Amino acid sequence: MTKEEAIRKCEKYNQTQVLRFYDELTDAERNELLTQIEDTDFSLIERAAHEAKKGEITPIKAMTAERIKENEEKFKALGLEEIRKGHVAAVLLAGGMGTRLGSDKPKGCFNIGINRELYIFECLINNTMEVVKEAGNYPYFFVMTSDKNHDMTVEFFTEHNFFGYEKDKVLFFKQEMAPATDNDGKIFLEEKNRLATSPNGNGGWFSSMVKAGYDKVIKDNGIKFLNVFAVDNVLQRILDPVFIGATVDGKFSSGSKVIKKAAPDEKVGVICLEDGKPSVVEYYELTDDLMNTKDENGEPAYNYGVILNYLFDTGKLLETINNPLPLHVVDKKIPCLDEAGNYVKPETPNGHKYETLILDMVHMMPDNLPFEVIREREFAPVKNKEGIDSVVSARELLKKNGVEL
Ligand code: UTP
């Protein structure tokens, strides 16, 4: 892109401030900035300001833990058969910044062990290996990273010999970045020749997979379902044959692992129907009315929270790949250059990041099986250093589940 083209693009979107140090730059630095301006989607800032409201929310029925128990053997046999045939692959979402944990390494490199080393990535591979042993083959294991942590993640897996997983079945791909802005939607600079950017949320994983060419791996290997999950739940059951079996048995195009909420106002996204299609309402979108609605048994009607462990039919994903996902604007602390060009690391949120979220993909699917799992066995998120959903609480839960630390 030439300087004139960059000026035109910046003028169109009211972002000319990103060129304010242009004259001070070397030729190479100018080129870097122009390329980044060319590659960055400026329109998302405007789009984020005009997001549509949610539709009509009604309850959805979950498959309860009791029902699952009754059919466990049948579901498990069916799920293992799908895994053996190579019909299911795992997708680990590890592109996030993990800012709440306060480490600048990828979250998966965090050592959750106490008396021995046990990295989060290792924990997840160990969990997957339990199924690999039962099924007798290694499913594809995709790992999404971002510009900020890709090299460190790949090196970490390589150094640790993929924690015993079949190396050729682990495929990495990078998610895209989105510009970060001040509170008025003006894009920050993080260097005089670099826009401030951050990973574009966990909703872009499938389009990034396709950009990396992995739709070919899906088609060539007959992969029918992707089991997508978060890096930070160390009790995560990956490629759970019972979950896969239940989803396939019911001919669902997607499934969501859910837990019974601990309290009506617990901060988890709740599975529901929106205009008759499956959907997830975020806890801050759940009105008092919805929170207090009861079902025919007197139980809260919106009682099941998602834990970021989903199954998606690959055919349906490919059909909906061009449907835009809603953009979420998140307040964050964004290191940036001030007016004078000094680098500032803010103590409080100073601007916005723009993200799409995987929970919105549930609404793209024609149907969904909410599959209840037991919180103490499958949900130990590591979001904070201490307190709720922390390293401390996750260690306790790992110990309770017999994992040696
Ligand atoms: P979180 O919503 O907890 O975000 O991610 P985060 O970036 O890891 O952590 P904070 O909020 O900065 O502390 C849930 C899951 O989605 C992945 C994360 O890696 C985690 O597995 N994720 C999140 C991505 O892969 N990309 C993103 O852009 C954001």
Side-chain angles (χ1 to χ4, degrees), residues 93-100 107 144 175 199-202 230-232 308 332 383:
L93 302 181
M97 298 287 286
T99 40
R100 282 169 284 175
K107 215 182 226 183
M144 182 168 85
Q175 70 176 101
N200 66 350
N202 58 28
V231 70
D232 42 26
L308 216 173
K332 289 271 177 168
K383 300 279 183 197

Side-chain angles (χ1 to χ4, degrees), residues 28 40 61-62 121 124 165 256 286 291-292 295 326 351 404:
T40 303
K61 283 269 169 266
F121 282 138
L124 299 174
Y165 208 81
S256 312
L286 198 67
M291 218 183 282
N292 296 323
D295 67 12
E404 238 179 78

Side-chain angles (χ1 to χ4, degrees), residues 75-88 135 241 244:
F75 291 155
K76 190 169 176 180
L78 199 56
L80 281 174
E81 194 50 30
E82 291 298 304
I83 298 169
R84 262 181 219 120
K85 287 182 182 155
H87 288 172
V88 198
I244 296 166

Side-chain angles (χ1 to χ4, degrees), residues 168-228:
D168 297 342
K169 290 288 177 67
V170 182
L171 299 177
F172 298 91
F173 64 99
K174 273 199 229 177
Q175 70 176 101
E176 271 107 285
M177 305 294 279
T181 71
D182 68 11
N183 293 322
D184 297 322
K186 296 280 185 201
I187 298 171
F188 281 129
L189 286 175
E190 68 185 13
E191 287 172 48
K192 289 185 176 173
N193 65 330
R194 262 202 85 72
L195 313 182
T197 58
S198 64
N200 66 350
N202 58 28
W205 64 273
F206 190 65
S207 56
S208 300
M209 251 180 107
V210 171
K211 258 199 188 134
Y214 291 150
D215 49 334
K216 189 162 164 25
V217 177
I218 291 174
K219 286 174 197 150
D220 290 354
N221 292 280
I223 298 172
K224 292 184 179 162
F225 274 98
L226 294 174
N227 178 208
V228 195

